[in-house]
Amino acid sequence: MGKGKLQKFAEMETFKNVFQYPFSVISDVPFKMKGHWCEQYFRNNNPIVLELGCGRGEYTVGLARLYPAVNFIGVDIKGARMYTGAKQALDENLENVAFLRTSIEIIDRFFDKDEVQEIWLTFSDPQMKNPHKRLTSTFFMERYRHFLADGGKVNLKTDSNFLFTYTRLMVEANRLPLDECTEDLYHSTPKGLQDSPLLSIHTYYESMWMERGLNIRFLSFRLPHSVKLAEPDVEIPLDEYRSYHRDKRSTKDMAK
């Protein structure tokens, strides 16, 4: 591990807005703030919104600036990236922001029933080779339902046609209520998002992809507790520009 990462990890240990619980820790130590985020950390009764796979935390911080009456928590396993957003939130005195460093596979260990009202998935790895690792798979949806309010919203923002198509098919197969859906967020903006301040938040990588001419896709749906979830049984074309194709380890061009 480079010195820069070690310094960031050491500094993050002093950040009041960062909670670090990698799997090796949480497997032995219960998270005492589960069910008490608003009471013990945010000191208010405002709704909680998660960004899962927050990376540098740009979107979490951007949302917190726009909506001071909402509490935002960015979640990622890579602390060196998270450092950027966490430090920025501290420097700007954003008290409605927190960061949780842990694996999303165990996200339900940190939040109690109905504690979260909304989830953002921004430019998640499409995981074209492994459906159980996709953050919009039914595997993860079942975990989200442990803490997401009944009918809570899940937002997907992605450059990946594969992940967008897979998620749309998953929503259709399970008849989940669909709020918004577009294959080109900035040129074919859904009516419900026109003039929305959300369009002003561009992450570093999002800006790069837009410069390359890649469409930014957006999908928003509701997740009821009562629906029995099933995976869509459809072959989906892979994203050609991803590294999955570049190393030529597989001749596949479709996946479920």
Short mmCIF file of all heavy atoms in Angstrom, two decimals, residues 9-65:
data_model
loop_
_atom_site.label_atom_id
_atom_site.label_comp_id
_atom_site.label_asym_id
_atom_site.label_seq_id
_atom_site.Cartn_x
_atom_site.Cartn_y
_atom_site.Cartn_z
N PHE A 9 -5.78 6.91 5.22
CA PHE A 9 -6.45 6.04 6.18
C PHE A 9 -6.23 6.53 7.61
O PHE A 9 -7.15 6.53 8.43
CB PHE A 9 -5.94 4.60 6.05
CG PHE A 9 -6.55 3.85 4.91
CD1 PHE A 9 -5.76 3.13 4.03
CD2 PHE A 9 -7.92 3.84 4.70
CE1 PHE A 9 -6.32 2.42 2.98
CE2 PHE A 9 -8.49 3.14 3.65
CZ PHE A 9 -7.69 2.43 2.79
N ALA A 10 -5.01 6.96 7.89
CA ALA A 10 -4.71 7.46 9.23
C ALA A 10 -5.50 8.72 9.53
O ALA A 10 -6.04 8.90 10.64
CB ALA A 10 -3.21 7.73 9.35
N GLU A 11 -5.57 9.63 8.56
CA GLU A 11 -6.31 10.87 8.76
C GLU A 11 -7.81 10.61 8.89
O GLU A 11 -8.49 11.24 9.69
CB GLU A 11 -6.04 11.83 7.59
CG GLU A 11 -6.58 13.23 7.83
CD GLU A 11 -6.18 14.22 6.75
OE1 GLU A 11 -5.35 13.86 5.89
OE2 GLU A 11 -6.74 15.33 6.74
N MET A 12 -8.31 9.63 8.11
CA MET A 12 -9.75 9.35 8.18
C MET A 12 -10.15 8.81 9.55
O MET A 12 -11.31 8.94 9.95
CB MET A 12 -10.16 8.36 7.08
CG MET A 12 -10.36 9.01 5.73
SD MET A 12 -11.58 8.13 4.72
CE MET A 12 -10.97 6.46 4.76
N GLU A 13 -9.22 8.19 10.26
CA GLU A 13 -9.52 7.71 11.61
C GLU A 13 -9.92 8.86 12.52
O GLU A 13 -10.58 8.66 13.54
CB GLU A 13 -8.31 6.97 12.19
CG GLU A 13 -8.03 5.63 11.53
CD GLU A 13 -9.06 4.57 11.89
OE1 GLU A 13 -9.84 4.80 12.84
OE2 GLU A 13 -9.11 3.52 11.21
N THR A 14 -9.53 10.08 12.16
CA THR A 14 -9.85 11.25 12.99
C THR A 14 -11.10 11.98 12.49
O THR A 14 -11.56 12.91 13.15
CB THR A 14 -8.67 12.25 12.99
OG1 THR A 14 -8.53 12.86 11.69
CG2 THR A 14 -7.36 11.55 13.34
N PHE A 15 -11.64 11.57 11.35
CA PHE A 15 -12.81 12.25 10.79
C PHE A 15 -14.07 11.84 11.56
O PHE A 15 -14.40 10.65 11.64
CB PHE A 15 -13.00 11.88 9.32
CG PHE A 15 -12.00 12.50 8.37
CD1 PHE A 15 -10.98 13.32 8.82
CD2 PHE A 15 -12.09 12.25 7.01
CE1 PHE A 15 -10.07 13.88 7.95
CE2 PHE A 15 -11.18 12.82 6.12
CZ PHE A 15 -10.17 13.63 6.59
N LYS A 16 -14.80 12.81 12.05
CA LYS A 16 -16.02 12.51 12.81
C LYS A 16 -17.15 12.02 11.92
O LYS A 16 -18.13 11.44 12.42
CB LYS A 16 -16.48 13.75 13.58
CG LYS A 16 -16.92 14.92 12.69
CD LYS A 16 -17.38 16.10 13.52
CE LYS A 16 -17.89 17.24 12.63
NZ LYS A 16 -18.36 18.40 13.44
N ASN A 17 -17.04 12.24 10.60
CA ASN A 17 -18.12 11.84 9.69
C ASN A 17 -17.84 10.52 8.97
O ASN A 17 -18.56 10.17 8.04
CB ASN A 17 -18.38 12.95 8.66
CG ASN A 17 -17.19 13.21 7.74
OD1 ASN A 17 -16.08 12.72 7.99
ND2 ASN A 17 -17.40 13.99 6.69
N VAL A 18 -16.83 9.78 9.40
CA VAL A 18 -16.47 8.51 8.76
C VAL A 18 -16.53 7.37 9.77
O VAL A 18 -16.01 7.47 10.88
CB VAL A 18 -15.06 8.58 8.15
CG1 VAL A 18 -14.65 7.21 7.60
CG2 VAL A 18 -15.01 9.61 7.03
N PHE A 19 -17.17 6.27 9.35
CA PHE A 19 -17.27 5.06 10.16
C PHE A 19 -16.69 3.92 9.34
O PHE A 19 -17.18 3.63 8.24
CB PHE A 19 -18.72 4.78 10.54
CG PHE A 19 -19.35 5.92 11.30
CD1 PHE A 19 -19.95 6.98 10.60
CD2 PHE A 19 -19.33 5.96 12.68
CE1 PHE A 19 -20.52 8.04 11.29
CE2 PHE A 19 -19.90 7.02 13.37
CZ PHE A 19 -20.50 8.07 12.67
N GLN A 20 -15.64 3.27 9.85
CA GLN A 20 -14.94 2.26 9.08
C GLN A 20 -15.17 0.88 9.69
O GLN A 20 -14.71 0.59 10.79
CB GLN A 20 -13.45 2.57 9.04
CG GLN A 20 -13.14 3.94 8.41
CD GLN A 20 -11.69 4.11 8.06
OE1 GLN A 20 -11.17 3.45 7.17
NE2 GLN A 20 -11.01 5.01 8.76
N TYR A 21 -15.88 0.04 8.94
CA TYR A 21 -16.22 -1.30 9.40
C TYR A 21 -16.05 -2.31 8.26
O TYR A 21 -17.03 -2.81 7.71
CB TYR A 21 -17.65 -1.35 9.93
CG TYR A 21 -17.82 -0.75 11.30
CD1 TYR A 21 -17.99 0.62 11.45
CD2 TYR A 21 -17.78 -1.56 12.43
CE1 TYR A 21 -18.14 1.18 12.71
CE2 TYR A 21 -17.93 -1.01 13.70
CZ TYR A 21 -18.11 0.37 13.83
OH TYR A 21 -18.25 0.91 15.08
N PRO A 22 -14.82 -2.62 7.87
CA PRO A 22 -14.64 -3.70 6.89
C PRO A 22 -15.15 -5.01 7.45
O PRO A 22 -15.36 -5.15 8.66
CB PRO A 22 -13.12 -3.72 6.68
CG PRO A 22 -12.55 -3.09 7.90
CD PRO A 22 -13.55 -2.06 8.34
N PHE A 23 -15.37 -5.97 6.58
CA PHE A 23 -16.00 -7.23 6.97
C PHE A 23 -15.30 -7.89 8.15
O PHE A 23 -15.94 -8.44 9.03
CB PHE A 23 -16.04 -8.19 5.77
CG PHE A 23 -16.86 -9.43 6.03
CD1 PHE A 23 -18.22 -9.42 5.82
CD2 PHE A 23 -16.26 -10.59 6.49
CE1 PHE A 23 -18.99 -10.56 6.06
CE2 PHE A 23 -17.01 -11.73 6.73
CZ PHE A 23 -18.38 -11.71 6.52
N SER A 24 -13.97 -7.83 8.17
CA SER A 24 -13.21 -8.49 9.23
C SER A 24 -13.52 -7.92 10.60
O SER A 24 -13.39 -8.59 11.62
CB SER A 24 -11.71 -8.36 8.95
OG SER A 24 -11.33 -7.00 8.87
N VAL A 25 -13.97 -6.66 10.63
CA VAL A 25 -14.29 -6.03 11.90
C VAL A 25 -15.73 -6.29 12.29
O VAL A 25 -16.04 -6.74 13.39
CB VAL A 25 -14.04 -4.50 11.83
CG1 VAL A 25 -14.54 -3.81 13.09
CG2 VAL A 25 -12.56 -4.22 11.63
N ILE A 26 -16.65 -6.02 11.36
CA ILE A 26 -18.08 -6.11 11.69
C ILE A 26 -18.51 -7.54 11.98
O ILE A 26 -19.52 -7.78 12.64
CB ILE A 26 -18.93 -5.51 10.55
CG1 ILE A 26 -20.34 -5.19 11.06
CG2 ILE A 26 -18.95 -6.40 9.35
CD1 ILE A 26 -20.42 -4.15 12.12
N SER A 27 -17.76 -8.53 11.50
CA SER A 27 -18.13 -9.92 11.78
C SER A 27 -18.03 -10.24 13.27
O SER A 27 -18.67 -11.16 13.76
CB SER A 27 -17.24 -10.87 10.98
OG SER A 27 -15.88 -10.69 11.34
N ASP A 28 -17.23 -9.47 14.00
CA ASP A 28 -17.04 -9.71 15.42
C ASP A 28 -17.64 -8.61 16.29
O ASP A 28 -17.89 -8.83 17.47
CB ASP A 28 -15.54 -9.82 15.75
CG ASP A 28 -14.88 -10.99 15.03
OD1 ASP A 28 -15.52 -12.04 14.95
OD2 ASP A 28 -13.75 -10.82 14.56
N VAL A 29 -17.88 -7.43 15.72
CA VAL A 29 -18.35 -6.29 16.51
C VAL A 29 -19.68 -5.79 15.96
O VAL A 29 -19.75 -5.35 14.81
CB VAL A 29 -17.31 -5.14 16.48
CG1 VAL A 29 -17.80 -3.98 17.33
CG2 VAL A 29 -15.96 -5.64 16.97
N PRO A 30 -20.76 -5.83 16.72
CA PRO A 30 -22.04 -5.31 16.24
C PRO A 30 -21.99 -3.79 16.07
O PRO A 30 -21.27 -3.10 16.80
CB PRO A 30 -23.02 -5.70 17.33
CG PRO A 30 -22.18 -5.86 18.57
CD PRO A 30 -20.85 -6.36 18.09
N PHE A 31 -22.74 -3.30 15.09
CA PHE A 31 -22.76 -1.86 14.83
C PHE A 31 -23.84 -1.23 15.72
O PHE A 31 -25.03 -1.36 15.47
CB PHE A 31 -23.05 -1.60 13.36
CG PHE A 31 -22.91 -0.15 12.97
CD1 PHE A 31 -21.68 0.48 12.98
CD2 PHE A 31 -24.03 0.59 12.58
CE1 PHE A 31 -21.54 1.81 12.62
CE2 PHE A 31 -23.90 1.92 12.21
CZ PHE A 31 -22.65 2.53 12.24
N LYS A 32 -23.42 -0.54 16.78
CA LYS A 32 -24.33 -0.06 17.80
C LYS A 32 -25.25 1.06 17.32
O LYS A 32 -26.29 1.31 17.92
CB LYS A 32 -23.54 0.41 19.03
CG LYS A 32 -22.78 -0.72 19.73
CD LYS A 32 -22.04 -0.21 20.95
CE LYS A 32 -21.29 -1.34 21.65
NZ LYS A 32 -20.56 -0.86 22.85
N MET A 33 -24.88 1.74 16.23
CA MET A 33 -25.70 2.85 15.76
C MET A 33 -26.80 2.38 14.81
O MET A 33 -27.59 3.18 14.32
CB MET A 33 -24.82 3.91 15.08
CG MET A 33 -25.41 5.31 15.13
SD MET A 33 -24.16 6.61 14.94
CE MET A 33 -23.50 6.22 13.31
N LYS A 34 -26.87 1.09 14.53
CA LYS A 34 -27.93 0.55 13.67
C LYS A 34 -29.28 0.90 14.26
O LYS A 34 -29.58 0.61 15.41
CB LYS A 34 -27.78 -0.97 13.56
CG LYS A 34 -28.87 -1.65 12.73
CD LYS A 34 -28.65 -3.15 12.64
CE LYS A 34 -29.73 -3.84 11.82
NZ LYS A 34 -29.51 -5.29 11.69
N GLY A 35 -30.11 1.57 13.45
CA GLY A 35 -31.42 2.00 13.92
C GLY A 35 -31.40 3.33 14.65
O GLY A 35 -32.47 3.84 15.04
N HIS A 36 -30.22 3.92 14.82
CA HIS A 36 -30.10 5.15 15.60
C HIS A 36 -29.26 6.23 14.91
O HIS A 36 -28.71 7.10 15.56
CB HIS A 36 -29.50 4.85 16.98
CG HIS A 36 -30.26 3.83 17.76
ND1 HIS A 36 -31.46 4.11 18.38
CD2 HIS A 36 -30.00 2.51 17.99
CE1 HIS A 36 -31.90 3.01 18.99
NE2 HIS A 36 -31.04 2.03 18.76
N TRP A 37 -29.16 6.15 13.59
CA TRP A 37 -28.35 7.13 12.86
C TRP A 37 -28.83 8.57 13.11
O TRP A 37 -28.03 9.47 13.38
CB TRP A 37 -28.36 6.83 11.37
CG TRP A 37 -27.43 5.75 10.94
CD1 TRP A 37 -27.69 4.41 10.87
CD2 TRP A 37 -26.06 5.90 10.51
NE1 TRP A 37 -26.58 3.72 10.43
CE2 TRP A 37 -25.56 4.60 10.19
CE3 TRP A 37 -25.22 7.00 10.35
CZ2 TRP A 37 -24.28 4.39 9.74
CZ3 TRP A 37 -23.91 6.78 9.89
CH2 TRP A 37 -23.45 5.49 9.60
N CYS A 38 -30.11 8.78 12.98
CA CYS A 38 -30.65 10.14 13.15
C CYS A 38 -30.47 10.63 14.58
O CYS A 38 -30.09 11.78 14.82
CB CYS A 38 -32.13 10.18 12.77
SG CYS A 38 -32.41 10.17 10.98
N GLU A 39 -30.72 9.76 15.53
CA GLU A 39 -30.64 10.13 16.94
C GLU A 39 -29.20 10.37 17.40
O GLU A 39 -28.90 11.38 18.05
CB GLU A 39 -31.28 9.02 17.77
CG GLU A 39 -31.13 9.18 19.27
CD GLU A 39 -31.56 7.94 20.02
OE1 GLU A 39 -32.16 7.03 19.40
OE2 GLU A 39 -31.28 7.87 21.23
N GLN A 40 -28.30 9.46 17.02
CA GLN A 40 -26.96 9.51 17.59
C GLN A 40 -25.94 10.26 16.75
O GLN A 40 -24.94 10.75 17.29
CB GLN A 40 -26.47 8.08 17.84
CG GLN A 40 -27.29 7.32 18.86
CD GLN A 40 -26.75 5.93 19.14
OE1 GLN A 40 -25.65 5.57 18.70
NE2 GLN A 40 -27.52 5.12 19.86
N TYR A 41 -26.15 10.34 15.43
CA TYR A 41 -25.17 11.04 14.60
C TYR A 41 -25.72 12.36 14.04
O TYR A 41 -25.15 13.43 14.28
CB TYR A 41 -24.67 10.17 13.45
CG TYR A 41 -23.70 10.94 12.57
CD1 TYR A 41 -22.41 11.19 12.98
CD2 TYR A 41 -24.12 11.48 11.34
CE1 TYR A 41 -21.53 11.94 12.22
CE2 TYR A 41 -23.25 12.22 10.56
CZ TYR A 41 -21.96 12.45 10.99
OH TYR A 41 -21.11 13.21 10.23
N PHE A 42 -26.82 12.29 13.30
CA PHE A 42 -27.32 13.50 12.64
C PHE A 42 -28.04 14.45 13.60
O PHE A 42 -28.17 15.64 13.32
CB PHE A 42 -28.26 13.12 11.49
CG PHE A 42 -27.56 12.43 10.36
CD1 PHE A 42 -27.78 11.08 10.09
CD2 PHE A 42 -26.66 13.11 9.54
CE1 PHE A 42 -27.14 10.44 9.04
CE2 PHE A 42 -26.01 12.49 8.49
CZ PHE A 42 -26.25 11.15 8.24
N ARG A 43 -28.54 13.93 14.70
CA ARG A 43 -29.23 14.74 15.71
C ARG A 43 -30.46 15.44 15.14
O ARG A 43 -30.74 16.60 15.42
CB ARG A 43 -28.28 15.79 16.32
CG ARG A 43 -26.97 15.24 16.82
CD ARG A 43 -27.13 14.34 18.03
NE ARG A 43 -25.84 13.86 18.52
CZ ARG A 43 -25.69 13.03 19.55
NH1 ARG A 43 -26.76 12.60 20.19
NH2 ARG A 43 -24.51 12.63 19.92
N ASN A 44 -31.20 14.71 14.29
CA ASN A 44 -32.44 15.25 13.74
C ASN A 44 -33.32 14.07 13.32
O ASN A 44 -32.94 12.92 13.48
CB ASN A 44 -32.17 16.19 12.55
CG ASN A 44 -31.43 15.51 11.41
OD1 ASN A 44 -31.76 14.39 11.01
ND2 ASN A 44 -30.40 16.17 10.88
N ASN A 45 -34.50 14.38 12.80
CA ASN A 45 -35.41 13.34 12.35
C ASN A 45 -35.60 13.37 10.83
O ASN A 45 -36.63 12.91 10.32
CB ASN A 45 -36.78 13.50 13.05
CG ASN A 45 -36.69 13.22 14.54
OD1 ASN A 45 -36.07 12.25 14.96
ND2 ASN A 45 -37.32 14.08 15.34
N ASN A 46 -34.64 13.89 10.13
CA ASN A 46 -34.73 14.01 8.68
C ASN A 46 -34.56 12.64 8.01
O ASN A 46 -33.93 11.74 8.57
CB ASN A 46 -33.67 14.97 8.15
CG ASN A 46 -33.90 16.39 8.64
OD1 ASN A 46 -35.02 16.76 8.98
ND2 ASN A 46 -32.84 17.19 8.68
N PRO A 47 -35.11 12.47 6.80
CA PRO A 47 -34.96 11.20 6.09
C PRO A 47 -33.50 10.90 5.76
O PRO A 47 -32.69 11.81 5.59
CB PRO A 47 -35.80 11.40 4.83
CG PRO A 47 -35.93 12.88 4.67
CD PRO A 47 -35.92 13.45 6.05
N ILE A 48 -33.20 9.61 5.64
CA ILE A 48 -31.85 9.16 5.32
C ILE A 48 -31.82 8.60 3.90
O ILE A 48 -32.68 7.81 3.51
CB ILE A 48 -31.38 8.07 6.30
CG1 ILE A 48 -31.19 8.67 7.69
CG2 ILE A 48 -30.09 7.41 5.82
CD1 ILE A 48 -30.78 7.65 8.75
N VAL A 49 -30.82 9.03 3.13
CA VAL A 49 -30.60 8.57 1.77
C VAL A 49 -29.19 7.99 1.67
O VAL A 49 -28.23 8.63 2.13
CB VAL A 49 -30.78 9.71 0.75
CG1 VAL A 49 -30.44 9.24 -0.67
CG2 VAL A 49 -32.20 10.25 0.80
N LEU A 50 -29.06 6.81 1.07
CA LEU A 50 -27.75 6.18 0.91
C LEU A 50 -27.27 6.31 -0.53
O LEU A 50 -28.07 6.21 -1.47
CB LEU A 50 -27.82 4.68 1.25
CG LEU A 50 -28.34 4.26 2.60
CD1 LEU A 50 -28.18 2.74 2.75
CD2 LEU A 50 -27.62 4.97 3.73
N GLU A 51 -25.97 6.51 -0.70
CA GLU A 51 -25.33 6.31 -2.00
C GLU A 51 -24.42 5.10 -1.84
O GLU A 51 -23.43 5.16 -1.10
CB GLU A 51 -24.52 7.51 -2.47
CG GLU A 51 -23.96 7.26 -3.87
CD GLU A 51 -22.90 8.26 -4.32
OE1 GLU A 51 -22.51 9.13 -3.53
OE2 GLU A 51 -22.44 8.12 -5.47
N LEU A 52 -24.75 4.01 -2.51
CA LEU A 52 -23.99 2.77 -2.39
C LEU A 52 -22.96 2.68 -3.51
O LEU A 52 -23.31 2.81 -4.68
CB LEU A 52 -24.94 1.57 -2.45
CG LEU A 52 -26.03 1.54 -1.37
CD1 LEU A 52 -26.89 0.30 -1.51
CD2 LEU A 52 -25.42 1.62 0.03
N GLY A 53 -21.70 2.47 -3.13
CA GLY A 53 -20.61 2.52 -4.09
C GLY A 53 -20.30 3.97 -4.41
O GLY A 53 -20.24 4.37 -5.57
N CYS A 54 -20.08 4.77 -3.38
CA CYS A 54 -19.98 6.23 -3.54
C CYS A 54 -18.65 6.69 -4.11
O CYS A 54 -18.52 7.86 -4.49
CB CYS A 54 -20.25 6.92 -2.21
SG CYS A 54 -18.97 6.65 -0.95
N GLY A 55 -17.64 5.81 -4.17
CA GLY A 55 -16.35 6.22 -4.73
C GLY A 55 -15.75 7.40 -3.99
O GLY A 55 -15.57 7.36 -2.77
N ARG A 56 -15.49 8.47 -4.69
CA ARG A 56 -14.90 9.67 -4.09
C ARG A 56 -15.89 10.49 -3.28
O ARG A 56 -15.52 11.49 -2.66
CB ARG A 56 -14.29 10.55 -5.17
CG ARG A 56 -13.18 9.88 -5.97
CD ARG A 56 -12.59 10.85 -6.98
NE ARG A 56 -11.54 10.23 -7.78
CZ ARG A 56 -10.76 10.90 -8.63
NH1 ARG A 56 -10.93 12.20 -8.80
NH2 ARG A 56 -9.83 10.27 -9.31
N GLY A 57 -17.14 10.10 -3.31
CA GLY A 57 -18.14 10.81 -2.52
C GLY A 57 -18.66 12.09 -3.13
O GLY A 57 -19.36 12.86 -2.48
N GLU A 58 -18.36 12.30 -4.42
CA GLU A 58 -18.78 13.56 -5.06
C GLU A 58 -20.30 13.69 -5.10
O GLU A 58 -20.84 14.78 -4.88
CB GLU A 58 -18.24 13.61 -6.49
CG GLU A 58 -16.73 13.57 -6.58
CD GLU A 58 -16.27 12.96 -7.90
OE1 GLU A 58 -16.49 11.76 -8.10
OE2 GLU A 58 -15.71 13.70 -8.72
N TYR A 59 -20.98 12.59 -5.40
CA TYR A 59 -22.43 12.65 -5.50
C TYR A 59 -23.07 12.81 -4.13
O TYR A 59 -24.03 13.57 -3.96
CB TYR A 59 -22.97 11.41 -6.22
CG TYR A 59 -24.20 11.72 -7.04
CD1 TYR A 59 -24.08 12.27 -8.31
CD2 TYR A 59 -25.47 11.49 -6.54
CE1 TYR A 59 -25.21 12.58 -9.06
CE2 TYR A 59 -26.60 11.78 -7.28
CZ TYR A 59 -26.47 12.33 -8.53
OH TYR A 59 -27.58 12.65 -9.26
N THR A 60 -22.55 12.11 -3.13
CA THR A 60 -23.06 12.24 -1.77
C THR A 60 -22.95 13.69 -1.30
O THR A 60 -23.91 14.26 -0.76
CB THR A 60 -22.27 11.32 -0.81
OG1 THR A 60 -22.43 9.96 -1.23
CG2 THR A 60 -22.78 11.45 0.61
N VAL A 61 -21.80 14.29 -1.51
CA VAL A 61 -21.59 15.68 -1.09
C VAL A 61 -22.47 16.62 -1.92
O VAL A 61 -23.07 17.57 -1.38
CB VAL A 61 -20.10 16.07 -1.23
CG1 VAL A 61 -19.90 17.56 -1.00
CG2 VAL A 61 -19.26 15.27 -0.23
N GLY A 62 -22.57 16.35 -3.22
CA GLY A 62 -23.41 17.19 -4.07
C GLY A 62 -24.86 17.16 -3.64
O GLY A 62 -25.54 18.21 -3.61
N LEU A 63 -25.38 15.99 -3.31
CA LEU A 63 -26.75 15.87 -2.83
C LEU A 63 -26.94 16.60 -1.51
O LEU A 63 -27.97 17.26 -1.29
CB LEU A 63 -27.12 14.39 -2.66
CG LEU A 63 -27.32 13.57 -3.94
CD1 LEU A 63 -27.39 12.08 -3.60
CD2 LEU A 63 -28.58 14.01 -4.68
N ALA A 64 -25.95 16.48 -0.62
CA ALA A 64 -26.05 17.12 0.69
C ALA A 64 -26.10 18.65 0.56
O ALA A 64 -26.80 19.32 1.34
CB ALA A 64 -24.87 16.71 1.56
N ARG A 65 -25.38 19.18 -0.40
CA ARG A 65 -25.42 20.64 -0.62
C ARG A 65 -26.81 21.07 -1.09
O ARG A 65 -27.32 22.11 -0.68
CB ARG A 65 -24.39 21.03 -1.69
CG ARG A 65 -22.94 20.91 -1.28
CD ARG A 65 -22.08 21.64 -2.29
NE ARG A 65 -20.67 21.31 -2.19
CZ ARG A 65 -20.00 20.57 -3.07
NH1 ARG A 65 -20.64 20.06 -4.13
NH2 ARG A 65 -18.72 20.34 -2.92
#
